[in-house]
């Protein structure tokens, strides 16, 4: 079905940070499948794990114990300081699980119409509940009636969240991205997450963080919440967790960890042996190669390069980043930059209409990172007529 305006290219193979199309033209991938292939393409450790597991056992029902699933849950909880996990196949499903958990938490407190605070310009998925939670009218248009039970506030505005709490006794949770990805790599003020944690503690709400794009070392920590040393009650993951193999996770701790019971949630494919083996291989590489630190170091290098290459250029509104989530905001729509980049053999993205977004693989070398920066600077300068 025609649901995506696809760019005119089809890729045949990939290795590391490089892709080749069907005509064997080479491209430097600075998007890695929208923050998915953080280990690059065809990573040997992940490839070996998937091939080996596919020859052993790919799937059993969750009616039975799955040892690899338990190992993955234990590892993720150890890295995040959470208590337990439930697995699924995508980020939207992970957020659906979080939304269901929050509603059940509310009903267990005798709140009959539980509400979740979400923010403007957010993105949480395209299922009916997650597109309602998403703060983008274009995503919602045409799919009314939307799902009730969400209250929207501006992002990075603690006062607005407190004001909602003062007038709405049905609020049970807050769901936010630590850094808004699809919204344009919007980085909140320092201590925003700490402020949310304090509000949720005071009011008995769940703090739920959507780390689907920010998690898995992307921002320079395993999870973006660790920049402020804040532990959420619920955390959702997907994207880079499988390095391209579909898997998502909803983690919980404390009072949120015991909300779900048998029959409250389920999945056919979620957490099957093949998906969990892939994710375990990803975690092993990320830990062994200290990719959280690498993302932080490389992100600073690339941010500095972007600022040096584009300083004092009329038409640039802001250049920002956290780890390897990088953005150049322009004062005008800039979709042609993405199209021109494709012709130049560079894969980037334009989001929010006027933001050039970079989400490169964390395995990028210094030289490859410099190639990305040089290419982006050249493309933006040409687009702006400099």
């Amino acid at each position: 079905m025609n649901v995506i305006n696809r760019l005119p290219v089809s890729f045949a193979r990939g290795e590391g940070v490089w892709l080749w199309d069907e005509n064997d033209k080479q491209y430097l991938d600075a998007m890695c499948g929208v923050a998915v292939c953080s280990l690059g393409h065809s990573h040997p450790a992940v490839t070996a794990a998937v091939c080996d597991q596919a020859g052993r056992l790919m799937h059993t029902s969750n009616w039975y114990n799955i040892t690899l699933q338990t190992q993955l849950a234990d590892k993720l909880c150890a890295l995040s300081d959470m208590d337990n996990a439930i697995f699924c196949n995508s980020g939207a499903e992970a957020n659906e699980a979080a939304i269901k958990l929050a509603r059940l938490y509310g009903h267990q407190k005798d709140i009959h119409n539980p509400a979740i605070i979400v923010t403007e310009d957010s993105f949480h998925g395209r299922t009916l509940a997650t597109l309602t939670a998403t703060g983008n009218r274009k995503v919602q248009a045409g799919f009314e009636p939307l799902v009730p039970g969400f209250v929207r506030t501006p992002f990075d505005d603690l006062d607005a969240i407190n004001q909602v709490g003062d007038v709405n006794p049905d609020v049970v949770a807050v769901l936010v991205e630590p850094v808004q990805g699809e919204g344009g790599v919007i980085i909140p003020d320092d201590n925003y997450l700490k402020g949310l944690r304090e509000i949720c503690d005071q009011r008995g709400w769940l703090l739920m963080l959507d780390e689907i794009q920010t998690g898995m070392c992307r921002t320079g920590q395993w999870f973006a919440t660790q920049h402020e040393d804040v532990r959420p009650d619920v955390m959702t993951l997907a994207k880079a967790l499988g390095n391209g193999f579909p898997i998502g996770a909803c983690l919980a701790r404390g009072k949120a960890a015991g909300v779900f019971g048998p029959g409250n949630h389920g999945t056919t494919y979620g957490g099957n042996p093949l998906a969990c083996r892939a994710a375990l291989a990803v975690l092993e590489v990320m830990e062994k190669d200290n990719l959280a630190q690498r993302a932080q170091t490389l992100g600073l290098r690339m941010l500095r390069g972007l600022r040096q290459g584009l300083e004092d250029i009329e038409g640039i509104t802001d250049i920002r980043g956290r780890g390897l989530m990088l953005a150049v905001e322009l004062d005008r729509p800039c979709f042609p930059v993405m199209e021109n980049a494709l012709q130049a053999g560079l894969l980037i993205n334009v989001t929010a209409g006027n933001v050039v977004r970079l989400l490169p693989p964390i395995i990028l070398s210094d030289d490859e990172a410099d190639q990305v920066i040089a290419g982006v600077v050249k493309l933006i300068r040409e687009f702006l007529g400099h």
Side-chain angles (χ1 to χ4, degrees):
M1 296 183 183
N2 185 27
V3 296
I4 297 174
N5 291 319
R6 300 181 189 275
L7 293 168
V9 65
S10 181
F11 297 108
R13 60 189 176 94
E15 182 178 343
V17 302
W18 299 94
L19 286 166
W20 287 264
D21 68 16
E22 293 176 330
N23 298 314
D24 211 33
K25 178 180 175 180
Q26 187 176 6
Y27 300 78
L28 180 52
D29 185 1
M31 277 302 294
C32 66
V34 193
V36 170
C37 299
S38 289
L39 303 185
H41 302 282
S42 305
H43 191 282
V46 180
T47 300
V50 169
C51 290
D52 179 71
Q53 189 61 41
R56 293 171 180 266
L57 180 66
M58 289 199 293
H59 176 79
T60 65
S61 169
N62 278 292
W63 288 337
Y64 313 112
N65 291 316
I66 300 174
T67 300
L68 289 166
Q69 187 181 115
T70 302
Q71 292 174 1
L72 179 58
D74 288 344
K75 186 64 178 178
L76 285 173
C77 288
L79 290 168
S80 62
D81 199 20
M82 303 294 277
D83 292 340
N84 57 18
I86 188 168
F87 295 101
C88 54
N89 311 288
S90 68
E93 288 177 72
N95 282 335
E96 283 276 352
I99 291 165
K100 286 180 64 177
L101 189 153
R103 287 190 169 195
L104 187 57
Y105 169 77
H107 282 286
Q108 291 173 353
K109 296 177 64 176
D110 293 325
I111 297 174
H112 300 297
N113 294 293
I116 299 170
I117 294 177
V118 292
T119 65
E120 297 171 359
D121 300 316
S122 60
F123 185 86
H124 299 293
R126 292 183 180 272
T127 62
L128 278 175
T130 58
L131 72 82
T132 304
T134 291
N136 183 337
R137 182 58 192 150
K138 290 182 180 180
V139 173
Q140 300 168 345
F143 298 106
E144 298 84 357
L146 300 179
V147 177
F150 295 96
V151 182
R152 200 169 312 283
T153 65
F155 184 63
D156 194 19
D157 189 336
L158 298 176
D159 289 338
I161 289 176
N162 265 320
Q163 288 169 13
V164 170
D166 289 342
V167 299
N168 191 334
D170 291 333
V171 172
V172 297
V174 177
L175 172 64
V176 301
E177 302 159 273
V179 176
Q180 290 189 333
E182 302 302 314
V185 189
I186 308 301
I187 304 167
D189 292 339
D190 293 342
N191 298 316
Y192 175 59
L193 298 183
K194 283 186 177 179
L196 289 176
R197 180 72 275 174
E198 291 174 0
I199 292 171
C200 289
D201 287 342
Q202 291 167 0
R203 296 181 179 271
W205 299 344
L206 300 180
L207 175 59
M208 308 199 301
L209 297 185
D210 178 341
E211 292 252 19
I212 290 161
Q213 190 167 134
T214 57
M216 305 303 299
C217 301
R218 173 59 50 185
T219 67
Q221 296 281 356
W222 272 100
F223 311 102
T225 185
Q226 293 170 337
H227 286 285
E228 295 188 33
D229 194 27
V230 169
R231 289 190 301 168
D233 301 296
V234 179
M235 177 193 295
T236 55
L237 302 171
K239 287 193 178 288
L241 180 57
N243 206 59
F245 199 96
I247 184 170
C250 178
L251 281 60
R253 76 170 183 93
K255 59 190 176 185
V259 171
F260 278 152
N264 289 142
H265 198 57
T267 172
T268 297
Y269 299 106
N272 72 24
L274 186 54
C276 290
R277 181 76 183 276
L280 283 165
V282 169
L283 292 174
E284 183 178 356
V285 172
M286 286 185 166
E287 192 166 38
K288 175 174 65 71
D289 294 346
N290 194 13
L291 291 190
Q293 180 60 52
R294 177 60 178 162
Q296 187 175 58
T297 302
L298 200 57
L300 290 172
R301 179 190 186 98
M302 296 183 74
L303 187 61
R304 183 170 59 248
L306 286 170
R307 287 174 172 167
Q308 290 174 349
L310 295 169
E311 62 182 355
D312 301 325
I313 299 297
E314 186 178 353
I316 302 293
T317 300
D318 192 23
I319 301 172
R320 54 184 177 265
R322 175 156 292 173
L324 287 178
M325 292 182 72
L326 299 156
V328 180
E329 184 176 344
L330 280 63
D331 64 358
R332 68 202 71 175
C334 58
F335 285 108
V337 176
M338 180 170 61
E339 298 166 346
N340 295 339
L342 182 69
Q343 295 301 314
L346 178 62
L347 304 183
I348 62 174
N349 172 245
V350 170
T351 191
N354 65 327
V355 178
V356 174
R357 177 174 53 158
L358 303 176
L359 299 166
I362 304 175
I363 62 164
L364 206 67
S365 69
D366 287 357
D367 180 62
E368 290 161 341
D370 292 343
Q371 289 182 56
V372 172
I373 296 309
V376 170
V377 167
K378 181 174 184 292
L379 288 159
I380 292 177
R381 280 180 168 271
E382 289 176 349
F383 175 73
L384 293 174
H386 288 273

